[in-house]
Every structure is written in structure tokens, then in C-alpha cells.
Amino acid sequence: YWGHRNLFGRAEKLRIDGAISGIGSNEFTKLNYNAGIMFEKPGVVGPASKFFASFKTVLEHPDAYDNFSVKGGTGLSYQLDKRQTVSAEVALEYSKIDDAFGKHTYLIASIPLQYVFDNRDSRLNPTKGFRVLAYAEPSYDILNGTAFAKFKGEGSAYQSLDSASKFVFAGRVAIGSIVGTSLENVPANRRFYAGGGGSVRGYAYQGIGPKDSNGQPTGGLSLFETSVEMRIAITDTIGIEPFVDAGTFSTKSFPDVASMKVGAGVGVRYLTPFGPLRVDAAVPLNRGPGDPHFGIYAGIGQAF
């Protein structure tokens, strides 16, 4: 990436970035590419506001679908106070997707809306406080004449159990729903999926939920996930974290709690100035046909 943090002398930000992933794949055609440009200008509507505009193109091949998309958007965020932020955007996305229902082309106009309340003591490694996010995105497919709306709510809470914050309990819950149309009319990259390092550990990425006859995930119209962790500091830089995750999604607009999948494991954290380095190992507690026997996940930052 290349970035400029004071483009015109009034704290405007410009960032141009690109990435290639999946280099270890046996197929060159399965590499993932993305590139984009983002511009931000603060103080457009008062000092607490920020105007933003972005343009991004993506070519990706997760297990559930193949996607080529080009998306542009512009919007405004406003900081109500030190803890609360709201934002609204107008976006247009063109995409060509090959998924469990075949090959489709979409032109989606949408208005993403978001509210965030965050009083955590740290964004990188919180020990107390909580964060709540509410998201709504009404959308219209111009090419196919389909309207739908995506809703998601997410909350996480953190509580230190001792004065030195050697023991921190952390919990997270998320729920989402897409209403207004059937599953096959919603682009695969906008559906809900569950499983993997940022979801239910112990299961494959996008591995939880309905699949087609070839074992390819179909995605869903609703989602429910929850996680609990006990973050234990062994030294000033090293910690361990036993955890339990659970999650499910459904092809209907309400989650199917009866098909909940549960995974449990333990992780190791190495604290750095830019956030914890994370390695988690987990096993599925109610493993089904095709599910792995265990999973290992690595990343930067806490799982939530």
C-alpha cells in the first residue's frame, strides 16, 4: 500500500493498496486479488464528521463461491461523542459470481447504515468495557429487479477478574438476518457463513451450515454466533486463552438454533505494540460428516 495522511494540508487521507493471497494453492487460477483506493476528509460537517469515498475491485475464490466484483461508495461518519459513532454510505457494486446456484451477474445499489458504541479501555487488547454494533443495509439489484435488506447486530464484553488484569473474561454474540427475497437471489458474497478462525473455531472456514450435492456451502439468510474466552496472562508478553465457540446459520431469515455447532480449544498470545499475535487450536464438539477433526488458526489481534 501507499498512503498520505495530509494530502491537501488539512488531514486528508489517501490510501492505495493491493493484495494477493492464496499463493500456496496448487492452482494458479485460484489466487485471490484485491486492489482499492480510499479517500477521507475530516471536518466536512463540523469537526466530529468525516467524509469518505472508496473504490475497490476483488477477485476471490473462497470455498463457497468464485467472485469478481467492482465496488464504489461514498458516505459520511459522525462521532456523536467519544464512545458513539454513526455512519451512512451510498454504494454501487457490480459482481459476477459462480456459486452453488450457478453463474449470476448483479448490479447492487445499497445504503449501508451503522451505529457503534465502544467504551473499551483498549481496542487492541481490552480488559474491561464493551462494544455494540448495529448494521442495516437496504439493497436493490438493478439488473434482476430484486430488493432485500441485510441486518446484523454484534456485541462483545470484557471484564478483568483481578486488579492486575491477569485474568480477563471475554464474551461475544452476533446475530444477522437478510429479508425480502429468497437465498438464490442474494449474491453469495453478501450471504452469511459460519466456521473458521473469526467465527466458530474447530470447523473449516465457511464449513458450517447447508451445502449442495457437491459439498459446496450455499450460505444463509440468517446467522447466530457466540464465543466466550478466559484470557490468562502468564507473563507480561505471553498468555493463554481457553475458549468455546458456537454458531449456526440457516437458509431462512431466522437462525436454526437446533443445528448449532460448538467448538472448543485453547490459544496462545504473544503481546506486541501493534496487538497480540494469536495461534489457536480447536476441536469440533459435535463433528458432522465432512467436518475436520481439529483446526489451527493464526492471526494478529484478539479473535474479538
Side-chain angles (χ1 to χ4, degrees):
Y1 76 92
W2 175 88
H4 198 302
R5 296 179 180 271
N6 194 25
L7 188 63
F8 301 122
R10 295 193 176 184
E12 298 91 350
K13 294 181 181 179
L14 178 68
R15 178 185 171 102
I16 302 172
D17 57 33
I20 301 175
S21 61
I23 296 177
S25 172
N26 294 327
E27 298 182 54
F28 184 78
T29 57
K30 291 297 184 180
L31 293 178
N32 300 318
Y33 305 89
N34 69 72
I37 181 170
M38 184 271 292
F39 173 76
E40 293 182 357
K41 180 177 176 57
V44 175
V45 186
S49 67
K50 180 172 64 178
F51 167 83
F52 57 89
S54 64
F55 180 84
K56 187 174 184 178
T57 181
V58 174
L59 178 62
E60 58 182 348
H61 310 278
D63 292 343
Y65 55 85
D66 295 324
N67 169 44
F68 169 76
S69 64
V70 178
K71 182 178 182 179
T74 183
L76 190 71
S77 66
Y78 194 88
Q79 190 171 7
L80 301 176
D81 54 36
K82 291 183 179 181
R83 299 176 178 180
Q84 300 180 86
T85 303
V86 294
S87 65
E89 183 182 0
V90 176
L92 185 66
E93 180 180 24
Y94 171 83
S95 58
K96 299 180 70 174
I97 297 176
D98 185 0
D99 65 358
F101 298 103
K103 297 181 179 180
H104 302 275
T105 301
Y106 307 92
L107 181 61
I108 305 291
S110 62
I111 305 176
L113 307 169
Q114 183 170 280
Y115 167 82
V116 177
F117 180 93
D118 189 349
N119 70 349
R120 297 172 297 172
D121 59 342
S122 169
R123 294 189 176 185
L124 297 177
N125 192 31
T127 61
K128 63 180 180 179
F130 63 93
R131 179 180 184 271
V132 176
L133 178 147
Y135 179 85
E137 185 179 6
S139 305
Y140 181 72
D141 183 356
I142 298 172
L143 294 183
N144 301 294
T146 303
F148 59 92
K150 183 175 184 177
F151 301 93
K152 186 175 182 181
E154 183 174 338
S156 56
Y158 312 85
Q159 180 59 55
S160 175
L161 304 182
D162 63 306
S163 58
S165 297
K166 296 289 186 181
F167 297 86
V168 178
F169 177 82
R172 167 185 171 267
V173 64
I175 188 168
S177 178
I178 299 173
V179 298
T181 190
S182 57
L183 179 66
E184 60 269 21
N185 291 329
V186 178
N189 61 340
R190 292 172 179 258
R191 300 172 194 157
F192 291 109
Y193 300 89
S199 177
V200 182
R201 289 162 285 188
Y203 297 85
Y205 175 66
Q206 297 183 339
I208 293 177
K211 299 179 176 63
D212 66 6
S213 57
N214 298 318
Q216 184 177 1
T218 63
L221 294 178
S222 59
L223 168 79
F224 177 80
E225 292 179 341
T226 185
S227 301
V228 291
E229 293 186 349
M230 178 58 71
R231 300 175 178 175
I232 305 170
I234 304 300
T235 70
D236 290 341
T237 57
I238 297 175
I240 61 172
E241 297 184 5
F243 58 84
V244 177
D245 299 335
T248 183
F249 73 88
S250 171
T251 56
K252 299 180 180 179
S253 295
F254 297 94
D256 181 10
V257 181
S259 63
M260 187 82 69
K261 292 286 190 177
V262 182
V266 63
V268 177
R269 304 291 185 269
Y270 179 75
L271 301 182
T272 72
F274 52 84
L277 300 180
R278 170 168 54 98
V279 178
D280 294 330
V283 296
L285 299 186
N286 51 341
R287 179 175 173 267
D291 288 332
H293 291 278
F294 66 93
I296 298 177
Y297 314 90
I300 300 175
Q302 295 285 7
F304 57 89

